[in-house]
Amino acid sequence: MRVLVVEDERRMAAALQRGLQAEGFAVDLAHDGEEGLYAARHGDYDVVVLDIMLPRLSGYNVCKQLRAEENWVPILMLSAKDGEYDMADGLDLGADDYLTKPFSYVVLVARLRALLRRDSGRRPSVLAAGDLSLDPARRRVERGGSAIELTPREFALLEYLIRRRDEVVSKSEILEHVWDTFDTDPNVVEVYVGYLRRKIDAPFGRNALQTVRGAGYRLAGDGG
């Protein structure tokens, strides 16, 4: 899913971006509070990782303004401050979770996936389209109880499609959320759709991942 990381320490921001991309997330970076607030307002993000001590506008104020505008994107705050009152301030302003630096990367990823699962009650822990299921936390895909091995990019593509099952999604939407760019050759989407079909459909005699000519792709909610 698509993550915004707002962190002014550029080496840490780049490390977070590389690590989260390796886990299948699409990641955008912002390096100060005003840039982060603008991105969170106008970008279609699934979760925001927000440092507190930011130039131009603090993480506290970014969070406060987003919530005042009724923007309920899940927010995980990062801070070198480990006092209980600092944590309480962040949570009271509307943050969904809080991690102190230094933190375990494994715990960060687990916390992000937990936020995605409980976001507004719209994200079940296991996503399903008929007998095709995807478990984001365990990184597991099954069809009729049979495990299916996917690469990180294939997993990210299937996760995006299964969250929007029965909807037609365009190549540009897929590039934005799964590849984190508009500059990649759109044909790469077609290639990876082919890879997915050979794994989730063909061995089972199904047709869940459908091409909608001139519009994009649709994952059938009944599993095809």
Side-chain angles (χ1 to χ4, degrees), residues 141-195:
V141 174
E142 293 183 353
R143 167 76 90 171
S146 298
I148 301 172
E149 295 297 324
L150 299 181
T151 67
R153 187 73 70 185
E154 290 166 352
F155 189 95
L157 175 57
L158 179 59
E159 183 174 2
Y160 181 64
L161 292 171
I162 203 169
R163 288 189 187 280
R164 296 189 59 179
R165 56 196 173 274
D166 285 329
E167 297 180 29
V168 177
V169 292
S170 67
K171 286 184 179 180
S172 62
E173 288 178 292
I174 293 171
L175 284 174
E176 181 182 0
H177 286 84
V178 179
W179 271 266
D180 194 24
T181 181
F182 291 107
D183 298 329
T184 302
D185 185 345
N187 289 329
V188 74
V189 175
E190 186 175 340
V191 171
Y192 272 84
V193 165
Y195 292 160

Side-chain angles (χ1 to χ4, degrees), residues 8-139:
D8 64 316
E9 213 298 303
R10 290 177 182 266
R11 290 180 62 186
M12 173 171 280
L16 286 171
Q17 184 178 45
R18 289 193 301 271
L20 291 173
Q21 285 174 340
E23 294 288 332
F25 293 96
V27 184
D28 290 339
L29 299 180
H31 298 296
D32 64 59
E34 289 187 0
E35 182 185 1
L37 179 61
Y38 180 87
R41 280 171 168 164
H42 300 286
D44 182 19
Y45 293 103
D46 298 287
V47 65
V48 175
V49 178
L50 179 65
D51 189 33
I52 290 178
M53 304 298 290
L54 294 168
R56 302 179 71 185
L57 192 67
S58 74
Y60 288 136
N61 284 328
V62 171
C63 182
K64 183 178 180 180
Q65 290 193 38
L66 288 173
R67 296 312 189 226
E69 296 164 9
E70 298 189 355
N71 183 327
W72 306 114
V73 60
I75 295 174
L76 187 151
M77 279 190 161
L78 299 178
S79 178
K81 297 182 174 184
D82 60 359
E84 60 184 18
Y85 290 107
D86 298 307
M87 183 182 298
D89 286 343
L91 297 174
D92 285 345
L93 286 171
D96 299 276
D97 206 347
Y98 188 107
L99 272 180
T100 56
K101 303 175 182 177
F103 52 81
S104 161
Y105 181 74
V106 172
V107 171
L108 171 65
V109 172
R111 295 271 187 97
L112 290 178
R113 294 200 179 280
L115 287 179
L116 290 170
R117 287 197 300 271
R118 71 176 187 247
D119 175 24
S120 302
R122 294 185 288 108
R123 299 182 181 273
S125 58
V126 177
L127 306 168
D131 64 349
L132 176 66
S133 65
L134 181 147
D135 186 335
R138 296 169 60 206
R139 310 292 291 174

